[in-house]
Amino acid sequence: MSIFYLVWSYLKAKLIHTVLNIFLLSLGVAVITLIILSTHQLQERIESNAKGIDLVVGAKGSPLQLILCSIFHIDFPTGNINLVEAEKLAGHRLVKSAIPLALGDSYSNFRIVGTTLLYPQLYKAELLSGEWWNADLEVVIGSTVATTTQLKVGDTFESAHGLTKDGHAHEESRYVVRGIMKSSGTVIDNLILTNIQSVWSVHNSEEKKIDLSLSLESKLIKGYTITDSTQEITSLLVKYKNPIAAIQLPRMINTQTKFQAASPAFETTRLFSLLGSGIDALMGLAYLLVFISSISIFIALYNSLKERKYDLAIMRSMGASRFKLVQTIMLEGVTLTAVGASLGILIGHLLVYLFIQSIGQETGLTASAFYLEEVYVLIGGITLGLLCSAIPASQAYKTDIHKVLAGN
Amino acid sequence: MISVQNLTYRYSQANDSKEIRFPDFSLQAGQHCLLLGESGCGKTTLLHLIGGLLRSQKGNIKISDIDMTILPNWQLDRFRGSKMGYIFQRNHLLTSLTVKQNLLAAPFFAGKKEEEGRAEELLSELGLSDKSNSKIAALSYGQAQRVSIARALMNKPALLIADEPTSALDDKNCERVINLLLKMANQSWATLLVATHDQRLKDRFDKQIELKST
């Protein structure tokens, strides 16, 4: 016999109520856990993807779209920017480095990104096999691309025009896989990287307009001499030279050039505030569930007190102190909420796991990560149990055993 | 063993409320006593005062030379748990537990060592060995009463207090229960104090105290 056994025997005696109360609370906690896991991981993912990028420069349009397209590779480009103009910007005194991106084609839903080797370096990408590209039409693929498409080093494929599957195929030129990158947990796992010239060569089937007066050594693309003043890229990923750049550069670009500059930090904050209202609504629902379940637990404890007044009285007659009765009732409440909260956290993780399984590909989410907030949820659950049982416990404390036993 | 002196109890704090004056009495260790009186004359009140289930009385109650009226609540709870065994008129048992667990609850709440052997011994003594793991709901009235008696005896109390143990029973069972109570009390050298209005018990006790309704 112990106080835990006693409490367990009471909970077991009302198994249906117990299960229902625990389940109700665990549902609310599961939703809270789900929100904690997804917002945390989304934020981590966004931060790791935007790391080292201070500013994205692209064609005028929606700044959020430019960020989504150039950093997260989920939206469409806002348009193209002129390479010669971009070169001028790259040479600006406030720019430490600039990585060019040329988008437009894809292979089975994975984007082909024309860029320089600075881009994989930005994400500290390493090769799993093969080597980096060093000629046109050579690609290095991300780990998710490799597992999904089963492409191996030396395989060739033809790209599809556009960023979706139904674009027409570029049958005339085939890419060859030169290397496969290790999984990095960032967006490049889902990308096919090549040099910018490859993207141009696939598209410019017509003869290049060579401007003889132009012969510019490219700063952006090492070892490339620009001879065509109409050549375009999609965007530039810029890193500032110093903090002053954060103040001057975006305004300068937005007012004095045909480009727009978008700050990843600012735009992702804006994105989160847009998502925020949805998350708040869901969180509200979760709190409502938790609230209803605590009322239900309170009522269960309070009602059981009536049925248990004789039990409480004979416990006293056997030598139990008033405080022992208080302990028993409170432990019962806390057991319900602690089990409910723990189960809810597990269900939350299970939901994330099922979500990952149903998506069937790399989402960057993981069900096995635990966060500090979940400890707070557990502590909150235990506190809730104490609150729910406070009034029933004080009633038990005040029980007049003489009256109960004398039957009046 | 017990001595009660100048004991009065007032049911509420109002001045015009009924005050009960209990007769003085004292009992030796192992001496059994019958507390007789009509319903409502204060028998249960006296039993509860003796066990400290009810307080705010005037007068003295001494048990084993300890003045119960001045003990602080927590000491009183301990004292009650280790020195007294209560058998109530209605056989209140902890329904969520089994028979044996009900017996073990007595040393648990009294803060004593739980002796399973003692529980099994008592159950077999009272012919309940086969009911050891039964639920309380599965017991008959007679069985439940015997479990109550066994539970009251678990901590080897010096004082066994029974409140109307026979009033709901027919003659045959009344005889059986009072024999059992006397036998068990004698076995463990306990003082048996029985409160009842049941006249059938009169000739079984030498010492009798009559409470008068006021």
Side-chain angles (χ1 to χ4, degrees):
Chain A
M1 183 73 51
S2 71
I3 189 162
F4 296 102
Y5 186 85
L6 189 71
V7 165
W8 164 239
S9 77
Y10 278 121
L11 290 174
K12 208 173 59 175
K14 294 198 152 209
L15 199 61
I16 293 174
H17 280 88
T18 303
V19 168
L20 197 67
N21 280 330
I22 288 177
F23 183 66
L24 199 57
L25 180 63
S26 68
L27 266 188
V29 173
V31 175
I32 294 173
T33 309
L34 194 66
I35 293 171
I36 290 173
L37 282 180
S38 53
T39 53
H40 252 285
Q41 296 191 5
L42 201 61
Q43 209 140 20
E44 279 170 12
R45 180 102 172 139
I46 284 174
E47 273 164 19
S48 71
N49 283 336
K51 204 177 158 196
I53 304 169
D54 293 325
L55 203 65
V56 179
V57 179
K60 286 210 188 295
S62 154
L64 183 57
Q65 188 185 346
L66 182 62
I67 298 288
L68 289 176
C69 167
S70 299
I71 293 181
F72 306 109
H73 296 277
I74 41 182
D75 207 343
F76 295 99
T78 46
N80 288 334
I81 57 174
N82 183 277
L83 180 63
V84 178
E85 299 274 319
E87 289 287 344
K88 283 183 203 161
L89 185 66
H92 194 276
R93 63 186 169 84
L94 291 172
V95 173
K96 188 180 177 194
S97 66
I99 303 168
L101 296 181
L103 303 172
D105 286 352
S106 64
Y107 172 68
S108 72
N109 273 344
F110 292 109
R111 293 186 178 198
I112 298 171
V113 180
T115 183
T116 65
L117 287 171
L118 284 176
Y119 189 61
Q121 276 165 28
L122 182 68
Y123 294 110
K124 298 187 171 60
E126 286 169 37
L127 285 173
L128 184 70
S129 60
E131 49 197 284
W132 296 106
W133 70 87
N134 52 24
D136 291 4
L137 294 177
E138 287 182 352
V139 299
V140 170
I141 61 177
S143 61
T144 312
V145 181
T147 47
T148 312
T149 61
Q150 295 294 313
L151 283 173
K152 282 180 257 327
V153 174
D155 285 354
T156 64
F157 62 91
E158 59 199 30
S159 64
H161 187 67
L163 300 175
T164 50
K165 222 170 190 169
D166 9 279
H168 76 84
H170 290 297
E171 289 164 0
E172 58 283 3
S173 42
R174 294 180 72 85
Y175 284 105
V176 56
V177 179
R178 284 283 289 187
I180 297 169
M181 289 180 283
K182 284 181 188 164
S183 175
S184 66
T186 62
V187 71
I188 57 167
D189 292 350
N190 295 312
L191 296 178
I192 299 168
L193 305 181
T194 183
N195 65 7
I196 294 210
Q197 295 91 316
S198 307
V199 176
W200 285 333
S201 74
V202 170
H203 285 95
N204 299 352
S205 48
E206 73 268 32
E207 270 184 51
K208 288 179 182 176
K209 292 172 248 160
I210 294 173
D211 191 340
L212 288 173
S213 64
L214 185 74
S215 175
L216 180 67
E217 192 67 32
S218 175
K219 280 196 188 66
L220 292 168
I221 311 159
K222 234 184 224 169
Y224 180 72
T225 310
I226 307 168
T227 52
D228 180 357
S229 62
T230 63
Q231 262 171 342
E232 292 177 317
I233 57 172
T234 307
S235 54
L236 279 179
L237 306 178
V238 173
K239 190 160 175 59
Y240 296 144
K241 192 162 235 164
N242 54 39
I244 299 165
I247 306 158
Q248 293 187 353
L249 209 53
R251 205 174 52 193
M252 190 277 282
I253 293 167
N254 285 331
T255 56
Q256 294 173 22
T257 68
K258 280 183 264 177
F259 310 152
Q260 73 158 333
S263 151
F266 181 77
E267 295 305 324
T268 50
T269 313
R270 205 163 65 92
L271 180 65
F272 259 102
S273 70
L274 289 174
L275 289 175
S277 53
I279 292 172
D280 287 347
L282 203 58
M283 208 58 156
L285 182 74
Y287 283 136
L288 188 70
L289 280 171
V290 170
F291 178 71
I292 292 171
S293 70
S294 24
I295 298 255
S296 170
I297 288 170
F298 168 75
I299 291 172
L301 289 172
Y302 198 83
N303 279 345
S304 74
L305 214 56
K306 281 182 219 152
E307 300 157 21
R308 245 190 264 168
K309 61 178 183 180
Y310 291 113
D311 285 24
L312 295 174
I314 45 173
M315 285 178 198
R316 291 293 312 280
S317 81
M318 287 190 275
S321 62
R322 286 168 187 272
F323 187 65
K324 196 81 165 184
L325 307 190
V326 169
Q327 263 185 316
T328 312
I329 305 270
M330 288 218 143
L331 186 65
E332 193 171 333
V334 169
T335 304
L336 282 173
T337 56
V339 171
S342 313
L343 191 69
I345 289 172
L346 284 180
I347 293 175
H349 282 268
L350 188 70
L351 286 176
V352 172
Y353 175 78
L354 291 175
F355 175 74
I356 294 168
Q357 293 299 307
S358 72
I359 293 288
Q361 55 165 297
E362 187 57 47
T363 52
L365 290 174
T366 166
S368 54
F370 284 83
Y371 298 94
L372 188 63
E373 280 94 332
E374 292 173 75
V375 179
Y376 296 152
V377 167
L378 198 59
I379 293 170
I382 291 167
T383 314
L384 198 68
L386 291 173
L387 287 177
C388 292
S389 55
I391 293 175
S394 75
Q395 293 290 104
Y397 185 88
K398 282 187 279 187
T399 303
D400 185 339
I401 30 178
H402 166 67
K403 273 193 180 154
V404 171
L405 289 172
N408 52 12
Chain B
M1 163 75 224
I2 310 184
S3 95
V4 170
Q5 278 172 332
N6 302 323
L7 190 65
T8 58
Y9 182 78
R10 192 182 284 279
Y11 278 102
S12 75
Q13 295 307 310
N15 277 335
D16 57 338
S17 69
K18 194 171 103 176
E19 189 179 68
I20 305 182
R21 171 89 173 78
F22 295 103
D24 293 353
F25 68 94
S26 62
L27 297 175
Q28 302 301 312
Q31 188 183 13
H32 306 319
C33 173
L34 199 63
L35 203 57
L36 278 163
E38 295 303 308
S39 298
C41 70
K43 296 189 300 289
T44 299
T45 303
L46 180 58
L47 292 188
H48 288 178
L49 285 170
I50 288 172
L53 294 174
L54 186 65
R55 303 199 82 175
S56 71
Q57 68 282 44
K58 278 181 193 153
N60 294 97
I61 305 165
K62 276 189 182 170
I63 292 172
S64 307
D65 289 328
I66 291 167
D67 189 351
M68 300 216 11
T69 55
I70 58 165
L71 284 181
N73 277 327
W74 67 274
Q75 277 186 11
L76 187 61
D77 289 330
R78 273 288 149 93
F79 188 74
R80 180 192 323 120
S82 58
K83 293 278 182 193
M84 297 175 214
Y86 268 100
I87 297 152
F88 299 108
Q89 181 176 5
R90 285 155 68 187
N91 305 306
H92 300 308
L93 293 163
L94 304 177
T95 47
S96 65
L97 301 177
T98 65
V99 168
K100 190 162 142 194
Q101 285 163 349
N102 261 279
L103 263 56
L104 292 173
F108 169 68
F109 285 116
K112 288 184 149 190
K113 201 167 158 271
E114 286 166 39
E115 293 168 57
E116 288 208 26
R118 169 91 179 142
E120 272 151 21
E121 201 180 290
L122 280 169
L123 286 176
S124 85
E125 187 103 28
L126 297 171
L128 290 163
S129 289
D130 55 328
K131 296 286 176 192
S132 178
N133 293 316
S134 298
K135 284 275 172 195
I136 297 305
L139 299 178
S140 69
Y141 182 87
Q143 287 167 337
Q145 187 164 37
R146 275 180 284 156
V147 175
S148 300
I149 294 171
R151 186 188 59 196
L153 290 163
M154 261 309 275
N155 294 338
K156 298 182 178 149
L159 179 61
L160 193 58
I161 298 171
D163 191 359
E164 301 279 12
T166 57
S167 52
L169 303 176
D170 57 27
D171 290 353
K172 200 174 125 198
N173 281 305
C174 170
E175 187 75 13
R176 199 183 281 169
V177 167
I178 199 65
N179 284 341
L180 187 64
L181 281 173
L182 286 165
K183 183 182 125 194
M184 299 309 282
N186 286 331
Q187 260 179 28
S188 51
W189 297 98
T191 296
L192 176 65
L193 183 60
V194 177
T196 191
H197 67 273
D198 192 343
Q199 300 296 324
R200 294 174 294 185
L201 300 182
K202 258 188 148 172
D203 51 354
R204 302 299 303 271
F205 289 81
D206 298 332
K207 174 92 176 167
Q208 296 186 357
I209 297 162
E210 185 105 23
L211 292 188
K212 296 260 169 14
S213 321
T214 46

